[in-house]
Amino acid sequence: VLYKETVGTGTPTPVTPEMERVKRNQEICSSVLYKENIGKATPTPVTPEMERVKRNQEIISSVLYKENVGKVTPTPITPEMERVKRNQEIISSVLYKENVGQATPTALTPEMERVKRNQEQISSVAYREGLGKATPSPVTPEMERVKRNQEQISSVLYKEHMAKGTPTPLTPEMERAKRNQENISSVLYSDSFRKQVQGKAAYVLDTPEMRRVRETQKHISTVKYHEDFEKSKGSFTPVVTDPITERVKKNMQDFSDISYRGIQRRVVEMERKRVDQDQENLTG
């Protein structure tokens, strides 16, 4: 305070590049002299208490850092940013693999297998819990075509990698076991069908594409029907003539003649006249 009281009013001078250079040199010299004056230190072991304090300090620093962060403006992820990100991941993966040295293989014990299966199950459960709701999309004919092509390609590649097998004779015991398995599979399938499918309708989306395909199928069926009809028109199917067929044919012809000539009607009139005449004879 006394020092500042004796200081009078000074004249400010502008900070020139030369003054900036001298100031930086003084800072570098001070840092070098500080490091030269530091003697040798005695290393101390890292105790659990020191580890706990260090973790607490890191947590406090992280909390304070987040408190000092202000609001930011989100920017959309452009295709260029996506490309740069993928390139960085590829470069990181390549550099990581280059720095990996030779490792010593270890035997895979049953305990390691058990832990691995548990981890896979936990990962599967956690993955399914994180899944949100999805929007179903209709299966188009193009998607069906691509799916069939992929299945054919996979089948071809699978068969190419298959080695030659050793044929084994098919014994009666194997035949019996095979039939039993088929019967069991049939019973289980029938039970599941009755419980899940039987009596229930299958709902499908009536999309414009499906309606167009249905109309096309109707037209094709109609054209095919008329084509078959025109081909079969004028032709006949020969049948064998037996006595029973001849008798039925003759009876049908007699019935047709009676109906056509009115013989049945005249027989009925004559029968009625005969009955009337009998009645008159009885009363007379």
Side-chain angles (χ1 to χ4, degrees), residues 102-254:
Q102 294 181 354
T104 304
T106 58
L108 195 60
T109 61
E111 181 65 19
M112 294 172 68
E113 285 285 345
R114 186 182 64 80
V115 173
K116 183 178 178 182
R117 284 196 301 271
N118 291 341
Q119 287 294 329
E120 290 176 353
Q121 293 173 358
I122 293 170
S123 300
S124 176
V125 172
Y127 171 75
R128 292 179 182 177
E129 289 178 353
L131 285 174
K133 294 182 179 179
T135 303
S137 57
V139 179
T140 60
E142 182 65 19
M143 295 171 66
E144 286 286 343
R145 186 183 63 80
V146 173
K147 183 179 178 182
R148 284 196 300 273
N149 291 340
Q150 287 294 330
E151 290 176 354
Q152 293 171 0
I153 293 170
S154 302
S155 176
V156 172
L157 294 177
Y158 172 75
K159 292 178 180 178
E160 288 179 355
H161 295 300
M162 289 181 68
K164 293 183 178 179
T166 304
T168 58
L170 195 62
T171 62
E173 181 65 21
M174 293 173 67
E175 284 285 346
R176 186 183 63 80
K178 183 179 179 182
R179 284 197 300 273
N180 290 340
Q181 287 295 328
E182 290 176 354
N183 294 335
I184 293 169
S185 300
S186 176
V187 171
L188 294 177
Y189 173 77
S190 299
D191 290 342
S192 62
F193 175 78
R194 283 193 295 270
K195 291 178 182 178
Q196 299 178 7
V197 180
Q198 192 173 14
K200 296 181 181 179
Y203 297 96
V204 293
L205 296 175
D206 192 10
T207 59
E209 181 65 20
M210 293 181 67
R211 285 196 293 270
R212 185 184 65 79
V213 173
R214 189 164 58 244
E215 290 294 331
T216 304
Q217 288 294 331
K218 287 181 181 178
H219 295 328
I220 294 172
S221 300
T222 305
V223 172
K224 183 67 176 174
Y225 171 75
H226 284 291
E227 183 180 353
D228 295 340
F229 176 75
E230 292 294 332
K231 287 181 179 179
S232 62
K233 188 170 64 174
S235 61
F236 61 92
T237 303
V239 294
V240 180
T241 304
D242 54 352
I244 297 176
T245 306
E246 287 289 341
R247 184 176 60 82
V248 172
K249 184 178 179 182
K250 187 175 182 304
N251 291 337
M252 292 302 295
Q253 189 172 358
D254 293 339

Side-chain angles (χ1 to χ4, degrees), residues 3 37 62 74 87 99 118 132 157 167 203 249 256 277 280-281:
Y3 170 74
N37 294 330
S62 175
N87 292 340
N99 295 328
N118 291 341
L157 294 177
Y203 297 96
K249 184 178 179 182
S256 299
Q277 188 175 3
E280 291 177 358
N281 293 331

Side-chain angles (χ1 to χ4, degrees), residues 20-36:
E20 287 284 343
R21 186 181 63 80
V22 172
K23 184 178 178 181
R24 282 197 301 274
N25 291 338
Q26 288 294 330
E27 291 174 353
I28 294 171
C29 292
S30 299
S31 176
V32 172
L33 293 175
Y34 172 75
K35 293 180 180 179
E36 288 179 354

